[in-house]
Amino acid sequence: MKYTIDSIKKEQAYHHSVLMVMMKAIIEVYGMDVNVRVGNSLNQGFFVYLGDTSSPISTSDISRIKEHMDAIIRADIPIETVTMTNEEAMKLWKEYDVPEKVRLLGQRDPEEKLEISDMGGYKNCFFSDMVPSTSYVDTYEIRKYKNGFLLRVPYMLSGGKVSEYRDDDKLYEAFADSKKMRKNMGLDYLSDLNEAIRAGRGAELIVEAEKLQQQEIEEIAEEIAEKGRRLILIAGPSSSGKTTFAKRLCAAIGEKTSQEPIYLGTDDYFVNRAETPIGPDGKPDYEGLSALDIELFNSQMKALLNGESVDAPEYDFVSGEKKFGVRTIAPLEGQALVIEGIHSLNDDLTPDIPVEDKYKIYISPLTRIGIDRHNRLSTTDARMLRRMVRDNQFRGTDAAGTLSNWCNVRRGENENIFPYSSYADHVFNSSLVYETALLKTYAQPLLEEISEGAPEYEEAQRMIAFLKYFDRISTETAKNVPDNSLLREFIGK
């Protein structure tokens, strides 16, 4: 049965249904006591491992799991929705021995209703719709990876296919570091975060999370200084906090070397609008690399690295032309450059710069908190929340406007940013463990403004339903967010 993934809601339904098929298959292979852990999204899918096995999962284990998954899919088992009260669901999760699910529901009204998915007697909850039956999810890939495996799935932008595999080891390492940080803070799951907020520890969490993030920025600056890299290139998807991160990195490098780098963005090197290439849709392609004046960019970067002054352009977005004679940059001897832009990790942007002079950083909010061992807040949703709040605060765009444009944003990232993340020297996780609890305070009222007849209503309701499990960090507690926090890009002040 063909299932068309043409919305974020359908994308999540497909992914969660494949995960449920996988979990049922693992139980059939290992028995009901197996501890399946779904880690972060990785390589167009999910990293999965078994938390109670003493040795890494083997290739033969992978084959057995896939055989059982395929059999479950062929059997076309209905995926039914069962409505329970939180109290009834807590009893079920106690039987399944998943205490973090019990704790999370214990923080809610016991009579509140919860939808549980039932697949041939195996029950789970993914806080989303599911496909009607198992035969709908016949497109997936499973491959051994590290001490577990990757369950790779099609996405809305991949045309219903599993994308080509690429090495994402640096992203894996960043997620692993995030996991260690959560454990050190005692925040394995969302229930732990909620308990900390209810105990009045919101301000403490903010201070600790910001301190840990600053330490990582200083470590990056130290590595750059030790290696003598002078062209620092930063790229990441929308709402990653690139601008604030770049400025804080400049300050940290300045402390290490007594000389702050020059900070530039690639947007000033757009070709004049009349020269912008036309994309496949017949419209100007402002996202592609050819929308930039590569020759001018490289000649000026080389000149600056050689200590020469340049007449740097400023792009006028009203006239659509570069303007000169308004910004002369005269570098100090040995001064580094920090460049931020969507193509920064693509070597085709800097073909004239020696590899040994470059240091590449990929930045993204790789969500630090797990809802439970089977559910996480997706990185895509984390960025959407940030962008929604920022668009409303600073760009005069309501939540519906952000949601309606989100697919186009993701399409550009999929083509120009994600394929190059593995080329980074460092992956910087810009998420903060407390941020969703804080962003909820700003985002939920915006989502609730979207009326039932609007095209974005369904997606808004999905986000509202998910956010209800996060306890709020108040605007009063938010005063503890430092002025230079990456979150200030989104919440203001």
Side-chain angles (χ1 to χ4, degrees):
M1 195 74 66
K2 190 65 179 173
Y3 186 82
T4 303
I5 303 174
D6 55 9
S7 69
I8 295 177
K9 187 174 183 179
K10 285 188 174 181
E11 184 178 86
Q12 289 204 340
Y14 192 97
H15 294 175
H16 291 158
S17 300
V18 178
L19 281 169
M20 192 163 180
V21 168
M22 176 205 73
M23 290 175 194
K24 181 174 173 61
I26 290 175
I27 287 170
E28 291 177 359
V29 172
Y30 289 96
M32 194 65 194
D33 294 336
V34 66
N35 181 4
V36 183
R37 303 269 180 160
V38 179
N40 290 92
S41 56
L42 192 68
N43 208 301
Q44 297 294 291
F46 305 91
F47 175 62
V48 182
Y49 60 102
L50 307 184
D52 52 4
T53 54
S54 57
S55 59
I57 195 166
S58 69
T59 304
S60 61
D61 289 329
I62 300 288
S63 298
R64 290 175 65 200
I65 292 170
K66 187 177 188 311
E67 286 174 8
H68 278 71
M69 287 182 68
D70 289 344
I72 292 168
I73 291 167
R74 286 193 302 270
D76 195 20
I77 302 169
I79 304 177
E80 300 173 328
T81 299
V82 180
T83 301
M84 297 182 177
T85 64
N86 282 336
E87 189 171 28
E88 290 168 337
M90 286 170 64
K91 293 177 181 176
L92 178 64
W93 300 144
K94 285 178 182 177
E95 291 176 14
Y96 278 30
D97 192 24
V98 277
E100 73 279 3
K101 288 180 185 275
V102 177
R103 291 202 310 274
L104 183 62
L105 294 186
Q107 295 168 349
R108 310 288 304 170
D109 179 350
E111 295 304 314
E112 184 180 72
K113 301 295 184 182
L114 177 69
E115 290 187 345
I116 305 290
S117 297
D118 187 322
M119 180 191 292
Y122 172 66
K123 297 179 177 66
N124 211 326
C125 177
F126 291 95
F127 308 101
S128 75
D129 287 347
M130 305 291 274
V131 301
S133 66
T134 58
S135 65
Y136 284 78
V137 292
D138 59 349
T139 303
Y140 73 95
E141 178 188 286
I142 183 169
R143 62 162 64 204
K144 182 168 169 43
Y145 186 78
K146 304 296 183 183
N147 64 330
F149 61 87
L150 293 172
L151 178 68
R152 304 184 65 237
V153 290
Y155 279 72
M156 182 169 53
L157 298 177
S158 64
K161 300 177 182 178
V162 176
S163 300
E164 182 180 350
Y165 178 81
R166 64 174 183 264
D167 182 3
D168 271 350
D169 281 0
K170 287 189 173 68
L171 279 176
Y172 171 83
E173 291 167 6
F175 280 128
D177 289 342
S178 175
K179 182 179 176 182
K180 291 176 186 174
M181 186 278 290
R182 291 199 317 272
K183 284 190 174 294
N184 289 339
M185 293 182 72
L187 300 174
D188 274 347
Y189 296 112
L190 177 54
S191 55
D192 301 317
L193 177 63
N194 288 343
E195 285 173 6
I197 293 170
R198 293 181 181 197
R201 292 180 51 220
E204 177 189 329
L205 292 177
I206 290 171
V207 171
E208 188 171 357
E210 295 284 352
K211 179 182 176 182
L212 289 169
Q213 194 166 80
Q214 179 60 26
Q215 285 176 357
E216 185 176 356
I217 292 173
E218 291 172 2
E219 288 167 4
I220 297 170
E222 188 168 347
E223 182 179 359
I224 290 169
E226 287 177 354
K227 291 184 174 180
R229 303 291 176 87
R230 295 186 54 214
L231 186 65
I232 298 99
L233 298 149
I234 301 169
S238 172
S239 306
S240 293
K242 296 182 289 293
T243 302
T244 303
F245 168 74
K247 292 177 179 178
R248 285 174 62 179
L249 181 62
C250 284
I253 292 172
E255 291 179 2
K256 301 292 180 184
T257 64
S258 301
Q259 187 170 266
E260 280 199 24
I262 296 167
Y263 170 52
L264 292 167
T266 58
D267 283 2
D268 284 318
Y269 290 86
F270 275 126
V271 298
N272 290 338
R273 190 173 296 152
E275 303 165 17
T276 302
I278 303 300
D281 58 358
K283 298 178 182 178
D285 179 11
Y286 299 110
E287 300 290 324
L289 183 61
S290 53
L292 297 177
D293 189 336
I294 303 298
E295 184 177 349
L296 175 64
F297 180 78
N298 276 263
S299 66
Q300 293 205 341
M301 294 308 104
K302 286 171 65 179
L304 290 169
L305 290 172
N306 289 330
E308 303 168 15
S309 297
V310 301
D311 180 6
E314 283 192 358
Y315 193 83
D316 186 330
F317 285 89
V318 177
S319 67
E321 293 184 345
K322 294 191 289 292
K323 294 190 179 298
F324 293 91
V326 293
R327 183 173 58 159
T328 299
I329 300 177
L332 301 173
E333 183 179 352
Q335 192 170 16
L337 308 174
V338 168
I339 308 298
E340 183 256 301
I342 64 173
H343 298 286
S344 292
L345 304 188
N346 184 348
D347 276 331
D348 289 341
L349 174 68
T350 53
D352 299 338
I353 310 297
V355 173
E356 58 270 19
D357 286 341
K358 304 176 193 177
Y359 188 92
K360 299 177 184 177
I361 301 170
Y362 176 75
I363 174 174
S364 183
L366 310 173
T367 47
R368 295 185 185 271
I369 198 74
I371 310 305
D372 54 53
R373 68 191 64 189
H374 303 148
N375 290 280
R376 310 198 71 78
L377 174 69
S378 75
T379 297
T380 299
D381 281 350
R383 292 191 295 109
M384 189 198 296
L385 283 172
R386 284 181 170 190
R387 186 175 176 118
M388 187 182 301
V389 173
R390 183 187 65 189
D391 284 357
N392 180 260
Q393 295 267 62
F394 306 117
R395 300 183 181 182
T397 302
D398 60 14
T402 301
L403 292 176
S404 67
N405 191 45
W406 189 240
C407 185
N408 291 330
V409 172
R410 289 182 67 195
R411 184 175 289 109
E413 297 165 347
N414 209 45
E415 294 173 1
N416 300 309
I417 298 175
F418 297 143
Y420 302 97
S421 62
S422 57
Y423 300 142
D425 295 285
H426 189 95
V427 172
F428 179 77
N429 185 354
S430 68
S431 78
L432 292 150
V433 73
Y434 68 86
E435 72 173 76
T436 306
L438 176 57
L439 290 173
K440 174 182 178 176
T441 301
Y442 296 84
Q444 185 164 324
L446 304 178
L447 289 164
E448 290 172 346
E449 288 175 0
I450 298 177
S451 60
E452 189 169 351
E456 298 79 22
Y457 178 76
E458 186 178 76
E459 178 61 10
Q461 290 303 302
R462 180 188 72 82
M463 295 293 291
I464 291 170
F466 194 73
L467 284 173
K468 75 178 183 181
Y469 291 96
F470 286 80
D471 279 12
R472 296 174 185 268
I473 287 180
S474 68
T475 52
E476 181 65 28
T477 305
K479 292 177 181 177
N480 293 277
V481 178
D483 290 344
N484 70 342
S485 170
L486 270 69
L487 277 192
R488 288 293 177 194
E489 257 187 65
F490 310 98
I491 66 173
K493 297 185 181 179

